[in-house]
Amino acid sequence: MSERNGAGRNSAARGRRMADKARGPRPPRVEQPRDEAADIGVEARLAAGVLLNAALEGRGGLDAALSFREVAALPGPDRAFARAVAMAALRRLGEIDQILDRRLQKAPPLAVRTILRIALAQILVLETPAFAAVSTAVKLAERDPKTRPYKNLVNAVLRGVGRDGPGLTTAESNLPDWLAARWRATWGEAALTALALAAREEPATDLSAKPGTDLAALASAVEGEVLPGGTVRTGRRGDVATWPGFEEGSWWVQDAAAAVPARLLAPKAGETVADLCAAPGGKTLQLAASGAEVVALDRSDTRLKRLRANLERTGLDAEVVVTPAEDWDDDRAFDAVLLDAPCTATGTFRRNPEVLRATKPADVAKLADVQHRLLDAAAERVKPGGRLVYCVCSMEREEGETQIIAFLRRNPAFRTAPAVPAEIGAPDEARTPEGWLRILPSMWAEKGGVDGFFVARLDRVS
């Protein structure tokens, strides 16, 4: 999740509870010999359906489903293919369903719709040869008694799309109705269209480098480019652990927008800095790389494992504490505090399209209450003359602008320190009249977009 997803901390346990439901019909035992090469393709597509349904079941479901037998038993390349297909289906789900609804006289069982969704994602998004996608879809329908009666329907629908084309679809259909309505009311019709187009696309991979790294050389090595602020962006795919500079600890994966809050905090060597809700740790690494003395907190020891591993790999140092920030029993105050608060994570839909389906209207208010408490706890940790940066990877005003307006009313010792986008690698248009940053995923479209973030720096009066 993006970088962090407060509402999904128990996703693994929930994933196990919903496993049977998310997996759909289990494949029957082998009844006759099958072509092994063809069967590998069927198994990968079965796994793609498992991942898709798990993602639609709830937040964190896709990640939990990666451990399901149908997925985990696949060879690495087939697992990667299954995930790519599921992600493509999630990004274009509304459009895919528009196409299907025009060709289906009545709704088929979910297992059949899943087969059709997976096949169309391959044909229309991943440009898989139509004959291969249709053939494996029919084979997938044949193998289960519950879907076998629909194999001719599967064949007819997919061949019909191949013959006649998909027809007109709308990018906005990929967004849940309630979110589209919210974003239209908040950002306007033109912005909604741009956001819907951004939701369609698979994002590039962004890298943050340690100080002293030759950014031009790194960009060349990974076939990428250097963005404003120093992020290196690459369209390269595959296991990042095999990329140049990974083993040497020269860089870590971090979206360009996610790197902005730590730059706005501007830590200096020798300063004391607290990173609250730190996992998975990209911002902690930025803070540690500045030479500051960093304490990184998170309530989840499991999520902190990735941070510890990256600290070891990069040779950076931070004190890691497992505790909820609001319950931290420690009397230290800090020169700078970074609060990357748990949120709905709706701004991360480019990388995590499942958040659009998993987030519910009630989540916004629920998490806004958590953010309120965390902000007050963070403020108590800031020394007089110190600074606090608050950020969320959410598109919702209740989790961003509204939080800071209310915080400043109840904390008169703090003042907004206006952000200068050009100095911290943020889009120019992200600056709000108040001096905060509201980064939309549709910004920097010519560069491939960014995650959505709200970021504000608040200085404490001496």
Side-chain angles (χ1 to χ4, degrees):
M1 274 11 24
S2 75
E3 258 197 69
R4 143 247 73 254
N5 190 330
R9 297 183 189 276
N10 297 318
S11 61
R14 183 163 60 252
R16 289 191 294 271
R17 292 196 297 271
M18 70 185 183
D20 291 339
K21 185 176 181 181
R23 295 179 191 193
R26 290 182 177 274
R29 294 185 180 278
V30 177
E31 298 174 353
Q32 57 186 15
R34 295 194 296 264
D35 183 291
E36 185 174 355
D39 202 40
I40 292 175
V42 173
E43 296 293 345
R45 288 157 174 86
L46 171 67
V50 169
L51 292 173
L52 173 61
N53 286 336
L56 295 176
E57 285 294 330
R59 189 182 298 272
L62 187 146
D63 287 340
L66 291 171
S67 64
F68 290 175
R69 174 180 55 80
E70 297 91 333
V71 183
L74 292 175
D78 285 5
R79 259 197 325 276
F81 173 77
R83 190 177 188 280
V85 173
M87 294 291 274
L90 282 169
R91 290 192 174 97
R92 301 291 186 100
L93 192 66
E95 293 179 89
I96 288 171
D97 282 348
Q98 281 184 327
I99 295 167
L100 292 177
D101 290 344
R102 287 197 290 261
R103 292 186 170 274
L104 296 169
Q105 294 182 354
K106 63 179 182 178
L110 175 59
V112 176
R113 182 173 284 270
T114 298
I115 292 171
L116 291 167
R117 284 169 165 172
I118 290 301
L120 286 180
Q122 296 168 67
I123 296 170
L124 302 177
V125 184
L126 301 182
E127 299 182 349
T128 301
F131 73 88
V134 174
S135 173
T136 50
V138 172
K139 283 183 168 64
L140 194 53
E142 284 179 337
R143 65 183 295 165
D144 191 291
K146 294 179 180 178
T147 57
R148 194 172 297 147
Y150 296 90
K151 68 176 184 179
N152 290 336
L153 174 68
V154 169
N155 184 61
V157 168
L158 296 178
R159 291 190 180 278
V161 173
R163 180 184 65 249
D164 304 329
L168 294 177
T169 60
T170 58
E172 289 85 349
S173 67
N174 298 315
L175 306 176
D177 291 342
W178 73 275
L179 266 180
R182 283 177 65 93
W183 292 354
R184 181 183 290 109
T186 303
W187 313 114
E189 191 67 41
L192 174 65
T193 299
L195 290 169
L197 291 173
R200 280 175 157 183
E201 305 302 325
E202 181 181 5
T205 299
D206 291 348
L207 310 178
S208 289
K210 288 172 62 176
T213 300
D214 185 330
L215 297 180
L218 174 59
S220 176
V222 297
E223 304 161 86
E225 62 174 325
V226 182
L227 300 180
T231 291
V232 173
R233 171 162 291 179
T234 174
R236 191 169 183 163
R237 306 296 177 193
D239 184 1
V240 298
T242 65
W243 294 4
F246 179 86
E247 289 188 2
E248 294 82 0
S250 300
W251 50 262
W252 56 92
V253 175
Q254 184 179 33
D255 186 85
V260 167
R263 295 187 192 131
L264 183 59
L265 190 65
K268 300 176 181 64
E271 285 190 320
T272 57
V273 181
D275 184 7
L276 309 182
C277 309
K283 299 175 185 65
T284 302
L285 297 173
Q286 286 180 278
L287 301 174
S290 72
E293 299 175 13
V294 181
V295 180
L297 277 78
D298 200 275
R299 67 172 59 240
S300 171
D301 189 43
T302 299
R303 284 168 50 81
L304 284 170
K305 288 179 180 178
R306 180 176 168 186
L307 170 56
R308 293 189 183 97
N310 274 325
L311 286 170
E312 182 177 357
R313 180 176 63 85
T314 58
L316 297 172
D317 183 58
E319 178 186 347
V320 180
V321 180
V322 183
T323 188
E326 62 270 38
D327 298 334
W328 189 24
D329 185 17
D330 191 301
D331 59 4
R332 279 180 286 179
F334 297 83
D335 298 308
V337 175
L338 175 61
L339 173 59
D340 186 5
C343 67
T344 54
T346 50
T348 68
F349 61 70
R350 295 160 58 251
R351 302 187 187 283
N352 306 299
E354 65 270 23
V355 303
L356 296 179
R357 306 287 169 175
T359 302
K360 306 304 178 187
D363 295 338
V364 179
K366 179 181 177 182
L367 285 162
D369 183 60
V370 174
Q371 292 147 10
H372 174 116
R373 298 197 308 271
L374 285 170
L375 258 171
D376 285 346
E380 294 177 359
R381 298 286 174 181
V382 181
K383 292 179 180 178
R387 56 207 184 275
L388 165 66
V389 165
Y390 170 79
C391 65
V392 285
C393 56
S394 166
M395 298 281 291
E396 317 316 312
R397 286 184 62 88
E398 296 94 324
E399 300 183 84
E401 292 86 344
T402 302
Q403 287 290 343
I404 298 304
I405 291 170
F407 174 83
L408 290 173
R409 285 174 180 166
R410 64 181 184 268
N411 290 276
F414 285 83
R415 302 283 188 274
T416 293
V420 181
E423 295 179 355
I424 53 177
D428 290 336
E429 62 270 37
R431 192 180 190 275
T432 72
E434 299 86 356
W436 309 325
L437 294 173
R438 169 52 76 179
I439 304 173
L440 300 181
S442 51
M443 293 177 179
W444 277 356
E446 72 283 0
K447 304 178 188 298
V450 287
D451 280 355
F453 262 84
F454 173 82
V455 190
R457 174 170 155 172
L458 308 166
D459 287 357
R460 183 171 182 177
V461 179
S462 297

